[in-house]
Amino acid sequence: AGSSGNIGEAIDYLEKKHEIDPASAKSDAYLLGTYYERSEDYNKAIELYRMAIEYEDTQSKTPQRDARIESLKARIESLEAQ
């Protein structure tokens, strides 16, 4: 469901998943954000990337986690500049 031709389908799937299992929304925020970014809905992508940062903040502090957070922040800045 992740190919460029099926982005809308992937978004629909994850949105429905979150209705059924709201707890999964934060852990899936990065993935869903990338789909919205690919579909050029940058405001929704930014919202979801911020949710992903909130989720990462709840995880154990590791260099990998910190790198993911910095990467998300950079991606948000890039999208806000468009």
Side-chain angles (χ1 to χ4, degrees), residues 5-70:
N6 295 322
I7 291 173
E9 185 180 316
I11 289 171
D12 290 344
Y13 171 81
L14 285 173
E15 294 283 1
K16 287 176 186 161
K17 177 184 175 200
H18 299 158
E19 288 175 21
I20 295 166
D21 180 15
S24 69
K26 283 194 177 185
S27 62
D28 289 342
Y30 170 76
L31 179 60
L32 189 52
T34 62
Y35 290 143
Y36 274 106
E37 184 177 352
R38 288 183 193 168
S39 69
E40 298 182 359
D41 186 342
Y42 300 131
N43 289 332
K44 187 68 175 177
I46 289 168
E47 174 187 331
L48 287 158
Y49 290 153
R50 286 186 175 135
M51 185 185 294
I53 289 171
E54 289 175 20
Y55 173 75
E56 290 291 345
D57 277 340
T58 68
Q59 303 305 299
S60 297
K61 187 170 176 57
T62 64
Q64 295 84 1
R65 183 208 74 154
D66 292 347
R68 285 191 300 270
I69 289 172
E70 289 308 310

